[in-house]
């Protein structure tokens, strides 16, 4: 096992926190600003990149960190290490209400998970972060997450944050259609595309929008009930009017141009 083996506990129900217990010299990497608390003996250091390749040169680290800028994340990551003599705890909280998903990457196909670009929270040292490009233009344009998704690779524990309630679906050579933006993660062998939401009448008057995210194949898919984009829309002063127009051509085209 190349990643550090960490113990953890998920705390809370509606707004969850992950509490990680580190043995001496164990390390967890996290997004900047996500730390909630850390016990005495834990030290943190901001580094360029995820630290999965310690022998990598400066240019390699710069290139790896630069890919995070493409996904809208910070160039740097925070590494938390237990420098004490006994077990110590550090906790991380997500930036908005939702669920923390513990994922054992060792049980994922090809040890790789495709995640929405702002979904990664923290992981054991040794986990590698990269980017995944949507291959189809329509998927990037109407998929709710853009052309670029995050790729989380390794054999240890990683923690992904999602909005609202999370459901895990196992597909067995099946097709699953999901509201765009509600796909939080999927295994790499799953085919992800965007398709029209039925016929013209359904698209205009159905209230489900013009397009749906479509996942096909055999593997696991995780979906979220309240992505941050939908939460912001609901809380905005014009949210009610925007929701009324969500099923119309005018509403969808207006959102596209915005």
């Amino acid at each position: 096992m190349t990643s550090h083996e960490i113990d953890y506990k998920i705390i809370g129900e509606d707004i969850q926190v992950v509490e990680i217990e580190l043995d001496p010299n164990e390390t967890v990497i996290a997004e900047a600003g996500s730390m909630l608390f850390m016990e005495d003996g834990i030290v943190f250091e901001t580094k360029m990149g995820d630290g999965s390749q310690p022998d990598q040169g400066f240019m390699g680290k710069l290139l790896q960190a630069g890919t995070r800028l493409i996904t809208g994340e910070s160039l740097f990551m925070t590494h938390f290490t237990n420098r004490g003599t006994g077990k110590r705890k550090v906790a991380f909280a997500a930036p908005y209400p939702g669920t923390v998903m513990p994922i054992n990457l060792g049980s994922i196909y090809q040890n790789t998970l495709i995640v929405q670009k702002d979904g990664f929270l923290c992981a054991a040292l040794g986990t590698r972060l990269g980017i995944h490009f949507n291959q189809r233009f329509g998927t990037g344009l109407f998929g709710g997450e853009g052309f670029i998704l995050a790729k989380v690779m390794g054999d240890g524990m990683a923690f992904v944050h999602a909005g609202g309630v999370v459901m895990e679906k196992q597909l067995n050579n099946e097709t699953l259609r999901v509201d765009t933006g509600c796909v939080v993660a999927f295994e790499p062998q799953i085919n992800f595309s965007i398709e029209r939401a039925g016929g013209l009448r359904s698209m205009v008057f159905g209230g489900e929008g013009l397009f749906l995210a479509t996942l096909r194949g055999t593997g696991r898919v995780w979906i979220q009930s309240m992505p941050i984009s939908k939460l912001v829309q609901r809380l905005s002063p014009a949210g009610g009017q925007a929701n009324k127009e969500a099923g119309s051509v005018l509403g969808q085209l207006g959102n596209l141009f915005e």
Side-chain angles (χ1 to χ4, degrees):
M1 186 173 184
T2 59
S3 299
H4 287 192
E5 189 172 355
I6 58 176
D7 299 316
Y8 71 93
K9 179 171 66 174
I10 304 296
I11 301 172
E13 296 181 2
D14 297 327
I15 304 177
Q16 293 187 330
V17 171
V18 55
E19 182 184 78
I20 295 177
E21 185 178 72
L22 298 176
D23 291 330
N25 297 317
E26 281 187 340
T27 300
V28 59
I29 61 174
E31 289 290 354
S34 61
M35 190 271 292
L36 177 63
F37 74 81
M38 58 182 180
E39 294 183 342
D40 186 35
I42 300 287
V43 298
F44 66 93
E45 184 178 2
T46 301
K47 296 184 179 182
M48 187 180 295
D50 52 41
S52 60
Q53 298 171 291
D55 298 329
Q56 191 177 44
F58 174 78
M59 291 304 299
K61 292 180 181 179
L62 183 62
L63 179 62
Q64 182 191 64
T67 60
R68 290 173 45 78
L69 292 179
I70 300 177
T71 64
E73 302 292 349
S74 170
L75 184 66
F76 299 93
M77 298 198 68
T78 309
H79 295 228
F80 296 84
T81 304
N82 179 7
R83 297 302 186 193
T85 57
K87 295 178 181 291
R88 296 291 187 271
K89 295 177 181 178
V90 57
F92 303 94
Y96 56 90
T99 303
V100 176
M101 300 164 38
I103 303 290
N104 181 3
L105 295 174
S107 67
I108 300 294
Y109 180 75
Q110 294 182 347
N111 294 78
T112 300
L113 186 68
I114 310 302
V115 182
Q116 64 174 350
K117 61 183 180 181
D118 60 346
F120 174 77
L121 183 61
C122 60
L125 180 66
T127 303
R128 184 181 176 189
L129 304 178
I131 57 176
H132 174 79
F133 290 96
N134 284 325
Q135 297 179 354
R136 299 185 181 182
F137 177 76
T139 305
L141 190 59
F142 302 107
E145 300 298 340
F147 292 98
I148 302 171
L149 300 171
K151 184 185 295 184
V152 185
M153 300 161 282
D155 57 4
M157 292 301 303
F159 301 87
V160 174
H161 180 258
V165 176
V166 173
M167 297 179 62
E168 179 182 329
K169 306 286 288 185
Q170 172 67 51
L171 302 185
N172 296 300
N173 196 24
E174 298 171 303
T175 298
L176 183 68
R177 293 180 175 86
V178 183
D179 183 20
T180 56
C182 289
V183 178
V184 61
F186 53 91
E187 292 185 309
Q189 74 273 27
I190 295 292
N191 179 268
F192 175 49
S193 62
I194 298 297
E195 297 182 358
R196 293 189 309 170
L200 180 61
R201 180 180 298 178
S202 298
M203 292 171 65
V204 176
F205 302 108
E208 300 300 335
L210 300 179
F211 301 92
L212 292 174
T214 303
L215 301 112
R216 290 188 176 90
T218 299
R220 285 181 285 177
V221 174
W222 290 264
I223 58 178
Q224 56 188 348
S225 64
M226 184 59 70
I228 184 60
S229 58
K230 186 177 291 186
L231 178 61
V232 170
Q233 184 187 60
R234 294 283 185 177
L235 295 178
S236 67
Q241 183 64 25
N243 291 332
K244 290 180 182 178
E245 295 179 352
S248 70
V249 174
L250 177 62
Q252 288 295 323
L253 290 180
N255 291 337
L256 176 60
F257 285 114
E258 290 177 2

